[in-house]
Amino acid sequence: MNKYILITILAVSSFSSQANDLINDERIKDQKNCFTSIFESYDSWRGFIEKKYKKRSKSKEDLSKKLSWFDSMFGEDNFNQYKKNLSCNTFTYQVDGSDVYGYIIKPKTNSKKLPVLVYNRGGNGSTGSVVFGSMMNNLFPIANEGFVIIGSQYRGSQHPDTLTKNVMNDEFGGKDVKDVTALLSYIPKIEGADPQRIGMYGFSRGGMQTHLALKQVKNVKAIATIAGATDLLKELNFRPAMEEVYTHRIPDYETNKVTELEKRSVLNWVNELSPNVPILLLHGENDERVSVNNSIELADALSKNNIPHKFVLYSKDDHDLTNNKIKAQKELVSWFQKYL
């Protein structure tokens, strides 16, 4: 079963119950604790998943294997540790007059103000939304090392993956970049956050969002990308199926294909990048979704333009860095501790 489908099954929009506000700003609405409803305990979450798996299992042995996978992926001890150490809220905020979903994760206790990381997710539309399972797998370990993490689900994520009139839609690096940059105005209102120490990182499509956001903001001190696409036009030769996403998401794509893709491709404007914002690039050698050449070519261009950077290539690993998850997380933590 596809990992994205599995992770999505683990947590489809079950966040509920009002919690203490983590962002003290009247513009932020509907702050809700992530650790409620089926996520109040590991047993309740696992019980929910077991019911889901039973419907899809051909035998008791098959069910047992799926539950073992769940336990190995998450685990009760990890769950309890994160619930004890971290606060996590979902919320809504307004961009261009419409609601956008977001989330914030931060340590419950700290003796000094903490650096903030703006995380940009992958996917498009509702596909790839940051649900509880992906938070626990990818974001909780980073926050647990002493970071505040805030992120956007991007506009239109609350709607089906079909474009809807009179609703803001994800433009895959278009107006939705505002959903990222708007978050920075809330950072000073996060208790315990240091607005002078802001980093940003993104996975897959989120790498593109990160570079595009930095064209609009000046107070981000360091960035990182994981399996990011840096030349969308060339990437079509590697993965032609992305043409459907571009056609569906990017306004006027069919008449302005080259222009729109070049605008979203950092390799076309490396010379505009700040020499004061170091860049970490992480990529799996066997990535089948975003060619590793994207990071290889960007690293080369950064060297030629004297942009400080580090490129880490994970041998024989995939798009999600499945075989090096912990190593990659340590790399991210070390990078942002160094520069923030």
Side-chain angles (χ1 to χ4, degrees):
M1 187 180 295
N2 183 283
K3 178 184 289 187
Y4 288 108
I5 297 174
L6 282 170
I7 294 295
T8 302
I9 290 171
L10 301 180
V12 179
S13 65
S14 295
F15 301 127
S16 61
S17 295
Q18 193 67 32
N20 293 329
D21 290 350
L22 300 183
I23 309 175
N24 300 311
D25 192 308
E26 63 183 10
R27 295 172 296 169
I28 294 291
K29 306 296 182 184
D30 304 319
Q31 293 195 60
K32 297 176 182 178
N33 186 0
C34 303
F35 290 100
T36 53
S37 185
I38 65 169
F39 307 109
E40 189 167 1
S41 71
Y42 189 76
D43 285 343
S44 61
W45 183 23
R46 193 178 190 275
F48 173 80
I49 294 303
E50 183 174 3
K51 290 179 181 179
K52 290 280 187 180
Y53 285 170
K54 277 184 177 178
K55 296 178 181 179
R56 297 169 172 81
S57 298
K58 299 177 181 179
S59 64
K60 289 184 178 180
E61 290 76 13
D62 185 33
L63 174 61
S64 179
K65 286 182 180 180
K66 289 178 179 177
L67 289 174
S68 293
W69 173 90
F70 178 85
D71 289 329
S72 66
M73 181 67 69
F74 302 104
E76 185 172 10
D77 288 344
N78 284 338
F79 178 95
N80 290 336
Q81 179 192 39
Y82 293 140
K83 185 178 180 182
K84 177 183 177 182
N85 294 346
L86 301 174
S87 295
C88 175
N89 279 7
T90 59
F91 60 87
T92 59
Y93 63 111
Q94 287 231 323
V95 185
D96 292 337
S98 295
D99 285 342
V100 179
Y101 292 163
Y103 49 89
I104 177 172
I105 307 161
K106 63 189 290 287
K108 288 182 177 179
T109 59
N110 53 282
S111 58
K112 57 183 179 180
K113 287 192 174 183
L114 300 175
V116 182
L117 300 178
V118 179
Y119 175 68
N120 297 320
R121 71 170 181 87
N124 61 90
S126 61
T127 302
S129 292
V130 178
V131 295
F132 188 89
S134 55
M135 282 183 181
M136 186 167 167
N137 234 2
N138 303 314
L139 302 184
F140 288 175
I142 306 295
N144 203 45
E145 294 296 325
F147 294 94
V148 177
I149 296 179
I150 189 169
S152 176
Q153 302 284 19
Y154 309 144
R155 60 187 63 194
S157 62
Q158 64 269 47
H159 302 286
D161 285 331
T162 54
L163 299 184
T164 307
K165 289 184 178 180
N166 303 319
V167 170
M168 294 199 310
N169 292 295
D170 177 4
E171 296 181 357
F172 205 83
K175 292 179 180 178
D176 48 275
V177 177
K178 292 183 184 178
D179 305 341
V180 175
T181 58
L183 292 174
L184 276 74
S185 70
Y186 301 113
I187 291 175
K189 301 298 182 71
I190 303 171
E191 184 177 356
D194 188 346
Q196 302 304 313
R197 293 190 291 161
I198 300 175
M200 185 179 291
Y201 73 113
F203 168 66
S204 193
R205 170 267 181 87
M208 172 189 69
Q209 298 288 101
T210 298
H211 288 298
L212 290 171
L214 255 68
K215 296 185 79 172
Q216 301 180 25
V217 299
K218 304 300 180 184
N219 55 337
V220 174
K221 296 186 178 299
I223 67 171
T225 66
I226 308 163
T230 63
D231 187 336
L232 276 65
L233 191 61
K234 185 182 291 185
E235 185 66 6
L236 281 175
N237 296 324
F238 177 77
R239 192 180 175 197
M242 287 303 294
E243 186 97 64
E244 183 177 350
V245 174
Y246 299 159
T247 302
H248 185 61
R249 293 282 168 199
I250 299 175
D252 303 318
Y253 176 75
E254 292 180 339
T255 55
N256 293 295
K257 173 178 176 176
V258 174
T259 299
E260 292 299 329
L261 294 185
E262 287 182 343
K263 284 195 304 186
R264 290 162 168 80
S265 302
V266 65
L267 268 175
N268 290 303
W269 30 271
V270 174
N271 61 321
E272 298 177 23
L273 298 179
S274 170
N276 301 316
V277 181
I279 301 172
L280 173 66
L281 306 173
L282 307 180
H283 217 125
E285 181 183 29
N286 292 346
D287 192 336
E288 295 183 351
R289 291 176 174 269
V290 177
S291 170
V292 67
N293 288 331
N294 283 272
S295 290
I296 292 173
E297 292 178 11
L298 179 57
D300 182 56
L302 293 174
S303 294
K304 291 177 180 177
N305 285 271
N306 298 311
I307 306 294
H309 67 283
K310 179 180 181 179
F311 174 37
V312 182
L313 175 64
Y314 293 100
S315 177
K316 300 180 181 179
D317 212 346
D318 59 16
H319 186 61
D320 299 298
L321 301 182
T322 303
N323 301 326
N324 292 278
K325 179 73 70 177
I326 294 176
K327 288 182 179 179
Q329 289 173 347
K330 288 181 177 179
E331 198 74 54
L332 287 166
V333 168
S334 177
W335 183 257
F336 287 118
Q337 285 177 338
K338 178 179 180 179
Y339 289 105
L340 301 184

